[in-house]
Amino acid sequence: MNLVVLQNWLDNASFAVLFCTMLVYWVGAAFPSLSVTAALGTAGMAIANLCIATLLGARWIEAGYFPLSNLYESLFFLTWGITAVHLIAENTSRSRLVGVVTAPVAMGITAFATLTLPSEMQVSEPLVPALKSNWLMMHVSVMMLSYSALMVGSLLAIAFLIVTRGQNIQLQGSSFGNGGYRTNGYKLIKAEELVTETLTPASENNGFSRLESNNNGNGTAVLDVVKTAPISTAEILSPQRLTLAETLDNISYRVIGLGFPLLTIGIIAGGVWANEAWGSYWSWDPKETWALITWLVFAAYLHARITRGWQGRKPAILAAGGFVVVWICYLGVNLLGKGLHSYGWFF
């Protein structure tokens, strides 16, 4: 089969599979009782990942170099990375929630590459001299994988903010070495016991007060429940939402923790390649500057969680901002300005 025909078939097939997979995940989120949607969604992401891998492999064979030289190839490699990180995160967490946010983004990137880019930008062309190096695969592939992981982690953080409605809730052990413990409002006490209410913050117990006894006498044990008067109905989240929020926060933290070392390695490799190609490790090129900004944003995120013990809303807001920064670094710099990294894209 002609490799060009195979590529055209595979990119359209990838878009179709991801579109159907997105619908499957959304239906599964709307109707949790449909257990079959979880298996279908995972299968769809795996098939899309395989189609994109085959597409990139065909372009590698056709062009004779690693397929990361133009925007079309880069977008498909990014989508492949997102689907791969999705499968890892979903298998680790055993949660279908990951696909609700990753599937539409992967589908959108594929649609942009397949349906929006002009045909001349989708054709493999000879490499410019600066790209004729083994560092093309070693640097660019690691950077793209880091973008994929950071995007997935940031998307899950955005989903966390949506689920919690932006509230600052107490989570249970999702940061390394830290973790609050939320009570459920139930406590075993004794009959006719004097009960006093502690000053536990409402946000810590999600609207429930914690009970403490000052009576050591004997008596019949009973299960009692005491609720504090909520300040606002919107401040109380259901147990299902709290469990969902904890899962999203937990997965987001670990996926970003995977992407950050890849970003660090990619930047170091890029500096070595830049020294070989241009005689300088760092030139403050727009792409290099925004790569450093991206690194600083996610370094601040991990520092806040590991050292400062941040959980919940604050780090999620920081990660959501990181999602925008990653897109500026990856695509915005090439659309809005010229630099040493602009060749093979739009300018």
Side-chain angles (χ1 to χ4, degrees):
M1 179 184 292
N2 190 330
L3 290 179
V4 176
V5 176
L6 177 63
Q7 294 168 33
N8 293 334
W9 185 86
L10 287 173
D11 60 8
N12 287 282
S14 301
F15 166 72
V17 171
L18 286 171
F19 180 77
C20 294
T21 303
M22 177 190 69
L23 296 179
V24 168
Y25 275 114
W26 285 2
V27 170
F31 303 97
S33 58
L34 298 177
S35 58
V36 69
T37 56
L40 289 176
T42 303
M45 293 297 276
I47 293 172
N49 182 273
L50 181 60
C51 288
I52 296 172
T54 306
L55 166 65
L56 294 173
R59 290 184 73 91
W60 195 349
I61 295 173
E62 178 195 6
Y65 57 82
F66 194 71
L68 272 176
S69 64
N70 58 28
L71 181 59
Y72 177 82
E73 296 169 348
S74 177
L75 287 170
F76 269 102
F77 192 89
L78 178 66
T79 308
W80 178 84
I82 289 174
T83 56
V85 173
H86 161 90
L87 292 172
I88 295 172
E90 189 176 61
N91 181 68
T92 303
S93 64
R94 302 294 180 184
S95 173
R96 74 179 74 176
L97 304 173
V98 183
V100 175
V101 290
T102 58
V105 173
M107 186 274 297
I109 296 173
T110 305
F112 177 70
T114 305
L115 307 176
T116 304
L117 292 181
S119 57
E120 56 269 17
M121 293 189 64
Q122 301 182 19
V123 179
S124 299
E125 296 180 353
L127 291 175
V128 297
L131 292 180
K132 293 180 179 179
S133 170
N134 292 329
W135 286 103
L136 172 65
M137 180 172 62
M138 298 173 65
H139 163 62
V140 183
S141 61
V142 174
M143 289 297 293
M144 297 305 299
L145 288 175
S146 72
Y147 292 160
S148 301
L150 294 176
M151 284 182 183
V152 171
S154 300
L155 284 169
L156 294 172
I158 294 172
F160 170 86
L161 292 173
I162 295 173
V163 168
T164 60
R165 304 165 187 163
Q167 298 179 42
N168 190 20
I169 64 172
Q170 183 75 17
L171 298 178
Q172 192 170 6
S174 58
S175 290
F176 179 79
N178 297 282
Y181 294 91
R182 188 183 65 251
T183 61
N184 59 6
Y186 298 90
K187 184 175 178 66
L188 189 65
I189 63 175
K190 295 181 179 180
E192 301 178 356
E193 202 173 10
L194 179 61
V195 176
T196 59
E197 187 174 312
T198 62
L199 298 178
T200 305
S203 60
E204 185 173 323
N205 293 319
N206 193 37
F208 290 94
S209 65
R210 191 171 61 195
L211 304 179
E212 291 182 356
S213 172
N214 59 1
N215 182 16
N216 295 324
N218 296 324
T220 305
V222 296
L223 187 64
D224 196 7
V225 181
V226 175
K227 286 188 179 181
T228 60
I231 298 175
S232 170
T233 305
E235 292 182 355
I236 298 180
L237 299 178
S238 65
Q240 292 79 7
R241 275 182 175 265
L242 287 170
T243 302
L244 178 60
E246 287 181 347
T247 301
L248 290 172
D249 184 75
N250 193 22
I251 304 173
S252 173
Y253 169 56
R254 281 152 178 74
V255 172
I256 290 176
L258 171 66
F260 182 76
L262 292 175
L263 179 64
T264 304
I265 295 171
I267 291 175
I268 294 173
V272 176
W273 186 15
N275 185 60
E276 289 187 4
W278 303 315
S280 174
Y281 288 99
W282 195 269
S283 305
W284 292 106
D285 178 72
K287 178 75 77 173
E288 296 173 349
T289 303
W290 278 98
L292 177 61
I293 293 173
T294 304
W295 188 90
L296 290 174
V297 168
F298 287 101
Y301 172 89
L302 293 175
H303 171 75
R305 297 206 63 147
I306 296 174
T307 305
R308 305 293 297 175
W310 283 15
Q311 296 184 39
R313 183 181 62 181
K314 289 182 179 179
I317 293 174
L318 190 58
F323 180 76
V324 178
V325 172
V326 169
W327 272 109
I328 293 175
C329 178
Y330 168 61
L331 194 58
V333 171
N334 300 92
L335 293 174
L336 302 177
K338 294 185 179 181
L340 296 172
H341 291 76
S342 296
Y343 45 74
W345 293 58
F346 283 117
F347 301 104

